[in-house]
């Protein structure tokens, strides 16, 4: 059953500040700079991207329900009542990111209390976000591709090799130090439930929470050479590792910073460059560090795989059970299949959140 609850209204205005952290070190609030100062660090928007800026319709605005706790505009991003959501923005997946934000706002009982953290690498997309969601609370953060480019290995799909896919590894450094928890979401999904329910997930002593899939064949995520070498496979000794999808995670940033998990992930990426221990992009390093140490979250929060596999992108059905989040992981993206006039049946569930002008 697909649970969908809609809440309407207006969203209170909040000034969006661009935060630049090319060195990927934690920074004080005073380091925040206006978007005009960021332009020098970003490549000029090419003509095709400029046309994209006017390609999205303005979203309806939404207001908190009466029972919502005020986020306290004067306390800003550090307000304890805020729900923090991080999403990457790039031109290729922009249509998906905009739909994801739209879906979160539509189904949130307290949309004024949702603060978005948009991670970008190349294009200044702040003006598009502001024109599409005029009163959205958000910051934009620059993630320098060279930070991770030298650590990326070839993958089964070229899209998985893009540096921005690895920005999730650096959220603890990019986001303000007062942000102690964040929900990370991929750009190819829609939320059909109140995001605050996911936010309230208890992590216990764990660093991250995610839906786990312990019946999946965990061995396939690593090469035969990995499993035959005790130096590598021994990392799972004493653990009960299960597959989890890194496109939906609740992350305790305070614990992450304290224990230096970014560096732990980087070390496995360095090993991969010389030993070739996996084939699938940014996922395996997360499995190596966290699998077996994940706070389990209900599967309803990641109905993943709707984009098919990483080669054919074939159509998939929903898994049994209630659904709070639909995720088109895999090579098939709903906006591309819809535009090609060859949509999968479930792509119709993504369409209501699409704000792209040329799609209607």
């Amino acid at each position: 059953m697909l649970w969908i609850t809609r809440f309407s209204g207006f969203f209170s205005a909040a000034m969006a500040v661009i935060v630049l952290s090319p060195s990927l070190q934690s920074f004080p609030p005073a380091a925040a700079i206006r978007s005009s100062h960021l332009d020098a660090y970003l490549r000029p928007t090419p003509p095709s991207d400029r046309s994209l800026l006017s390609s999205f319709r303005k979203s309806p605005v939404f207001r908190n329900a009466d029972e919502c706790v005020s986020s306290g505009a004067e306390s800003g991003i550090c307000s304890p009542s805020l729900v923090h959501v991080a999403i990457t923005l790039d031109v290729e997946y922009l249509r998906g990111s905009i739909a994801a934000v739209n879906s979160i706002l539509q189904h949130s009982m307290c949309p004024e209390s949702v603060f978005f953290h948009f991670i970008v690498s190349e294009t200044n997309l702040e003006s598009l976000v502001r024109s599409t969601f005029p009163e959205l609370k958000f910051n934009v953060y620059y993630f320098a591709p060279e930070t991770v480019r030298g650590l990326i290995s070839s993958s089964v799909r070229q899209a998985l090799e893009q540096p921005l896919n690895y920005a999730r590894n650096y959220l603890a450094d990019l986001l303000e130090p007062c942000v102690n928890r964040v929900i990370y979401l991929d750009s190819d999904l829609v939320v059909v439930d109140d995001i605050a329910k996911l936010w309230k997930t208890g992590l216990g002593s764990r660093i991250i929470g995610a839906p786990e899939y312990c019946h999946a064949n965990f061995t396939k995520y690593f090469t035969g050479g990995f499993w035959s070498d005790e130096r590598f496979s021994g990392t799972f000794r004493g653990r009960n590792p299960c597959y989890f999808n890194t496109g939906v995670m609740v992350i305790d940033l305070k614990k992450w910073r304290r224990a230096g998990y970014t560096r732990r992930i980087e070390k496995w990426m360095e090993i991969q460059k010389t030993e070739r221990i996996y084939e699938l992009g940014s996922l395996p390093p997360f499995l190596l560090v966290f699998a077996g140490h994940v706070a389990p979250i209900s599967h309803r929060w990641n109905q993943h795989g709707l984009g098919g596999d990483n080669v054919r992108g074939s159509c998939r059905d929903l898994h049994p059970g209630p659904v709070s989040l639909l995720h088109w992981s895999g090579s098939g993206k709903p906006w591309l299949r819809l535009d090609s006039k060859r949509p999968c049946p479930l792509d119709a569930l993504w369409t209501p959140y699409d704000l792209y002008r040329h799609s209607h």
Side-chain angles (χ1 to χ4, degrees):
M1 182 176 183
L2 184 66
W3 296 99
I4 301 180
T5 307
R6 297 177 181 272
F7 296 90
S8 62
F10 297 91
F11 209 90
S12 65
M15 175 65 72
V17 180
I18 296 288
V19 180
L20 182 67
S21 183
S23 63
L24 297 178
Q25 299 296 317
S26 296
F27 49 86
I33 60 174
R34 299 184 63 86
S35 60
S36 58
H37 295 160
L38 182 60
D39 293 344
Y41 297 90
L42 300 179
R43 290 188 298 188
T45 305
S48 59
D49 293 354
R50 291 196 200 99
S51 64
L52 193 63
L53 298 180
S54 60
S55 295
F56 289 87
R57 305 187 312 278
K58 183 181 296 186
S59 168
V61 289
F62 302 89
R63 186 186 299 277
N64 281 359
D66 291 341
E67 56 266 42
C68 295
V69 176
S70 172
S71 60
E74 69 283 352
S75 57
I77 195 173
C78 297
S79 171
S81 65
L82 292 176
V83 172
H84 295 277
V85 178
I87 301 178
T88 59
L89 289 182
D90 69 341
V91 172
E92 184 177 357
Y93 283 80
L94 183 59
R95 192 167 163 187
S97 298
I98 294 297
V101 173
N102 191 28
S103 71
I104 292 170
L105 296 176
Q106 285 198 36
H107 297 293
S108 176
M109 180 177 291
C110 307
E112 290 181 277
S113 299
V114 182
F115 196 104
F116 290 89
H117 304 264
F118 295 119
I119 317 300
V120 304
S121 281
E122 297 184 18
T123 307
N124 184 4
L125 295 172
E126 181 203 5
S127 56
L128 184 147
V129 174
R130 194 179 298 283
S131 63
T132 306
F133 304 101
E135 300 183 43
L136 191 70
K137 292 181 178 179
F138 72 95
N139 279 359
V140 177
Y141 307 79
Y142 176 61
F143 177 70
E146 57 270 21
T147 301
V148 73
R149 201 186 303 277
L151 295 172
I152 297 175
S153 301
S154 60
S155 181
V156 296
R157 183 157 57 93
Q158 188 174 5
L160 300 176
E161 301 172 19
Q162 301 306 310
L164 201 58
N165 283 337
Y166 295 83
R168 72 195 81 187
N169 303 358
Y170 299 90
L171 292 175
D173 299 309
L174 288 168
L175 273 55
E176 290 81 350
C178 68
V179 179
N180 291 323
R181 171 183 279 224
V182 69
I183 298 172
Y184 174 81
L185 298 177
D186 274 351
S187 299
D188 53 357
L189 55 77
V190 293
V191 177
V192 293
D193 203 344
D194 192 342
I195 194 71
K197 297 177 183 178
L198 180 59
W199 175 256
K200 294 175 183 177
T201 298
L203 300 183
S205 62
R206 304 305 192 189
I207 308 300
I208 69 170
E212 291 185 294
Y213 303 89
C214 295
H215 296 297
N217 181 6
F218 189 80
T219 61
K220 72 178 182 179
Y221 294 101
F222 302 95
T223 63
F226 171 88
W227 291 112
S228 64
D229 193 326
E230 178 65 19
R231 293 178 303 162
F232 306 138
S233 59
T235 191
F236 292 122
R237 190 184 303 112
R239 294 158 64 177
N240 182 25
C242 296
Y243 162 75
F244 64 94
N245 181 280
T246 55
V248 179
M249 296 185 290
V250 180
I251 306 174
D252 187 321
L253 296 176
K254 186 174 182 178
K255 291 179 181 176
W256 181 298
R257 295 179 183 116
R258 185 186 305 141
Y261 278 95
T262 294
R263 184 57 192 147
R264 298 189 192 190
I265 291 173
E266 287 180 333
K267 286 181 178 178
W268 281 113
M269 294 176 68
E270 291 168 356
I271 292 173
Q272 162 72 355
K273 294 291 288 187
T274 59
E275 303 289 344
R276 197 65 188 179
I277 57 176
Y278 56 80
E279 303 290 345
L280 192 62
S282 61
L283 169 63
F286 260 85
L287 296 179
L288 286 161
V289 173
F290 293 110
H293 299 306
V294 175
I297 293 176
S298 170
H299 290 175
R300 69 185 299 155
W301 284 104
N302 196 352
Q303 273 272 351
H304 69 289
L306 302 185
D309 59 26
N310 280 304
V311 179
R312 295 186 301 273
S314 54
C315 297
R316 295 278 180 87
D317 293 327
L318 290 176
H319 305 295
V323 178
S324 293
L325 185 150
L326 298 158
H327 187 185
W328 279 261
S329 58
S331 61
K333 303 307 174 188
W335 57 92
L336 297 178
R337 296 194 296 214
L338 288 163
D339 286 351
S340 68
K341 309 300 182 184
R342 292 182 294 178
C344 292
L346 290 178
D347 294 344
L349 299 177
W350 180 88
T351 305
Y353 308 101
D354 185 17
L355 293 174
Y356 192 61
R357 290 184 184 275
H358 300 162
S359 63
H360 297 274

